[in-house]
Amino acid sequence: MNMLYRTFNEGESAPRFTLNLLTLGLLLSSTVPVAHAANTELPATSITADDTGGYQADNAWVGGFEAAPLLDTPAAISVFTDTLIKDQQARLLSEVLRNDASVGESYAPIGYYENFVVRGFSLNSASSYKINGRTITGEQNVGLENKQQVELLKGLSGLQSGVSEPGGVVNYVTKRAADVRSVTVSTDDRGSGYLATDVGGWFGSEQQFGLRANFAHEDLHSYVEHANGQRDFAAVAFDWNISPDALLQLDVEYQNKEQRSVPGYQLLGGTELPHHASPKKLLAHQSGSRPVTIDSLNINGNFEYHFSENWKGNLSASRSKVVIDDYSSFAWGCYGSTSCTSTVPNYFSPEGGYDIYDFQSPDDTRRNDEVQAALSGQFDTGGIGHELTVGSSAFRRVVDQRELVNEMIGSGNIDSEPQDFARYDGPLQDSYRRLDSRQYGVFFNDRISFNEQWQTVIGGREVRLDERTFDDQGDTTRHTQRYEFLPQAALIYKPVQNLSLYTRYSKGLSLGGTAPWYASNAFEILAPSVSRQIEAGVKYDWRRISLSATLFQIRQDYQYARPDATPGEFTYVQQGEQKNTGLELAANGWASERLQIAASVAAIRSRVTGSGTPHYEGHQTINVPTLRASLYGDYALPWVDGLALLGGVQYSGKKYASQQGGVQADAYAIFNIGSRYSTRIEGHDTVFRLSVDNLFDKRYWRDVGGYMGDNYAFQGAPLTARLSASINF
């Protein structure tokens, strides 16, 4: 597999690999024999997701250890179906998660991997992202071409995940074998090109083998100048019905993405957002910088065996590896401006001046390995029903890096093009082990049914965390050994069949944050922290629409760059507490015979106490608006068969752009429209889709967070139009 991570040298191009992928994909879609099962009885198979053909989902994996009805799951879960993803022509996770009002972006620049804030807490790339329930490295932009649905569990997931962030966890569910052969082509108003194939079927003497293959190539023409790129994606899913009682499923996906990283803006003088800033401008552009290359490989497998009608076992394993080559230039601070007086000016000058840094970090490698064994069964004790799951898991994450090159090479201004400066040409240090984190756990979860109305879910996970950090000499800088029991308890009341009321308590353990490079303890990884959540909700399936309302409160130790006694100096610490309290409302499904919607509203109050920095307290935390809302609709026109109008709006209230609460980004509303036309061309089902995002070309600040202490502010994308055609053969 080492060949998958070969770095393309200067003058060498990845498209040769791309063409091979596309050729293979097109050949498969046109020549692979697909077995039709009309007269064949297929063996029993395990269904991981249902294609409902709409925006409403009935089941999700992310709330437990196997697929379960959302109505019976005592947690707030959003499911984004393949249909919704296709209609919105989403290629990035940010374009999917915008459909949930509880989610905001937290450092999601063009050309780099994305991160998010859920319920006011930032997700963690080490633990917050999964494929088919297994944890992947989050430092990648996961391809959506082979995903049946994307699931978001909001809130603590300690029982399911062990060490995880309190905001939530994202789970991608892959497509399984099916009789499908399709090709999709797409472009946008900037001339981007996209080609994807999807082919699959069942084969073998008894149709016991299933295969699904997805290939894609994308030429990225960014709305930001000098930031074009490309992406190649390949994925294979294999299903084997070994016997009526045994099933093996394997998934492999590889992606290569190359695109120049786009830095954000910073506050002018630390007191105001830039005026008249253009989202199309690439700050700190240097002709000698290179696109960021991200190679990612995700492999997972699952073996399921039914011992009897009521008992089954699962053994799953996964590996996720990401290699990042970063030779970029970025804007940060204003040491080069005479008007900057701070020792560490993590902001632009009042006149818009900024420093330009040469950043070099090749072979930045992150790897997650995980294995889990679980036994699930149903039984009765004295007339009380039990659905019990017990199991154990082991997880390891390692980070290998070189000593970063982060050299100031010149200065620029937001109102002009920067000149080219000589880049750093010194030697690069050898790569070394930065982090070795191991997690072992045993868990149980028991759903107890007293009668048709009352249920309780009681579970817990005992976690053993063994984590070491190292310096460039290989010496251990921190060794954390910790045992923590993470309980979860819920009570469910169903007065009628389609109505569920629940309350839940959860405890979680989160990995410590990493100190920013300008802190006195730069790049130190802090010890894990404990979080707690209480939640109450109601879910109601009314006709063909799912409605829900959730109240929650989450508490976690506060981690931040604390200003020191010396002005302009900082130390990254874990001190005080962040408490977020909120209300969420959601509706998904068919509002009428022709109208389906995906809607959500989230109101969050986020406060910090006991931090030792009074200016950071007593107001809403940075980058968390008190109110967000999202609405997307699909209306099938009655007078034209196959034609539907699409569209929606995303709203965000005001949010603070500084920890002190002195600077606010304005509220905004972004309107999107589109259409879908389904027809047949020469006997082939064909779907045309048009989407126009940010219809009125509004300028707004989508992200004003403090990720890793960099305090960047990112503008939202301008008007973007996409057109695609999908043909089934």
Side-chain angles (χ1 to χ4, degrees), residues 177-234:
D179 184 0
V180 59
R181 286 174 291 177
S182 71
V183 174
T184 298
V185 294
S186 175
T187 188
D188 60 27
D189 58 325
R190 294 180 292 274
S192 300
Y194 175 79
L195 175 62
T197 64
D198 185 4
V199 57
W202 291 90
F203 58 96
S205 59
E206 298 180 350
Q207 304 290 284
Q208 70 271 35
F209 301 110
L211 191 67
R212 187 77 171 261
N214 294 90
F215 303 90
H217 171 70
E218 189 173 13
D219 288 316
L220 301 162
H221 289 194
S222 174
Y223 60 86
V224 179
E225 58 190 7
H226 313 299
N228 292 345
Q230 64 180 26
R231 177 177 71 96
D232 298 292
F233 177 79

Side-chain angles (χ1 to χ4, degrees), residues 387-640:
E387 298 176 30
L388 178 66
T389 299
V390 296
S392 63
S393 64
F395 173 81
R396 185 186 185 191
R397 175 175 170 87
V398 296
V399 177
D400 295 322
Q401 293 176 315
R402 300 173 187 262
E403 196 68 34
L404 305 178
V405 172
N406 190 32
E407 295 287 333
M408 179 181 168
I409 58 175
S411 298
N413 192 279
I414 62 175
D415 295 322
S416 60
E417 283 291 317
Q419 68 181 85
D420 266 347
F421 298 99
R423 298 184 61 85
Y424 173 82
D425 59 357
L428 293 173
Q429 303 301 315
D430 293 333
S431 180
Y432 68 96
R433 179 63 42 87
R434 182 76 178 86
L435 171 74
D436 190 337
S437 181
R438 307 184 187 208
Q439 179 189 157
Y440 309 93
V442 292
F443 57 85
F444 76 96
N445 189 61
D446 190 10
R447 179 186 294 271
I448 304 171
S449 300
F450 300 99
N451 50 45
E452 293 184 356
Q453 285 77 41
W454 290 96
Q455 296 179 342
T456 184
V457 180
I458 300 175
R461 178 185 288 262
E462 179 70 23
V463 173
R464 177 180 178 260
L465 182 67
D466 189 347
E467 187 172 87
R468 295 177 184 265
T469 61
F470 307 91
D471 60 19
D472 58 355
Q473 302 301 311
D475 297 325
T476 301
T477 56
R478 176 175 62 82
H479 185 196
T480 299
Q481 292 180 302
R482 183 167 180 172
Y483 289 85
E484 196 77 40
F485 179 68
L486 307 177
Q488 178 176 294
L491 181 65
I492 304 171
Y493 175 56
K494 301 178 70 173
V496 295
Q497 183 178 2
N498 296 325
L499 176 63
S500 175
L501 295 87
Y502 72 89
T503 182
R504 178 168 71 112
Y505 168 81
S506 306
K507 180 182 177 182
L509 185 67
S510 305
L511 294 175
T514 303
W517 62 272
Y518 60 81
S520 60
N521 56 338
F523 304 115
E524 178 184 349
I525 302 175
L526 300 185
S529 62
V530 171
S531 53
R532 292 175 174 82
Q533 173 186 270
I534 54 173
E535 179 176 308
V538 56
K539 300 180 181 182
Y540 182 43
D541 287 349
W542 180 68
R543 297 183 179 178
R544 300 172 65 194
I545 191 169
S546 297
L547 308 171
S548 66
T550 309
L551 284 167
F552 67 87
Q553 184 180 92
I554 304 174
R555 299 172 180 265
Q556 187 189 37
D557 296 335
Y558 186 51
Q559 301 178 109
Y560 76 113
R562 184 189 62 198
D564 294 337
T566 302
E569 295 186 358
F570 301 84
T571 302
Y572 194 70
V573 299
Q574 189 179 105
Q575 183 175 340
E577 181 184 74
Q578 181 177 344
K579 182 175 74 172
N580 292 5
T581 305
L583 169 65
E584 299 164 336
L585 306 174
N588 287 275
W590 292 93
S592 70
E593 288 296 322
R594 294 185 173 273
L595 175 64
Q596 60 176 331
I597 61 171
S600 65
V601 178
I604 299 175
R605 184 182 188 271
S606 179
R607 294 291 190 272
V608 172
T609 57
S611 68
T613 308
H615 294 306
Y616 288 17
E617 302 180 11
H619 54 78
Q620 193 81 349
T621 57
I622 187 173
N623 201 36
V624 182
T626 55
L627 183 66
R628 276 199 185 95
S630 176
L631 171 65
Y632 193 81
D634 173 345
Y635 180 70
L637 296 176
W639 54 84
V640 182

Side-chain angles (χ1 to χ4, degrees), residues 45-46 48 176 238-240 247-251 300-302:
T45 185
S46 176
T48 59
R176 306 309 322 164
F238 175 73
D239 295 83
W240 180 15
L247 170 67
L248 177 65
Q249 295 179 322
L250 301 174
D251 289 89
N300 66 72
N302 179 67

Side-chain angles (χ1 to χ4, degrees), residues 335-380:
Y335 286 106
S337 301
T338 58
S339 57
C340 281
T341 58
S342 175
T343 306
V344 183
N346 55 341
Y347 50 79
F348 293 173
S349 76
E351 302 80 22
Y354 60 82
D355 298 330
I356 300 175
Y357 285 81
D358 183 2
F359 184 82
Q360 299 184 25
S361 177
D363 305 318
D364 183 353
T365 303
R366 321 293 176 101
R367 192 186 80 233
N368 289 4
D369 295 301
E370 187 174 21
V371 62
Q372 177 175 289
L375 177 67
S376 303
Q378 301 178 10
F379 60 95
D380 293 336

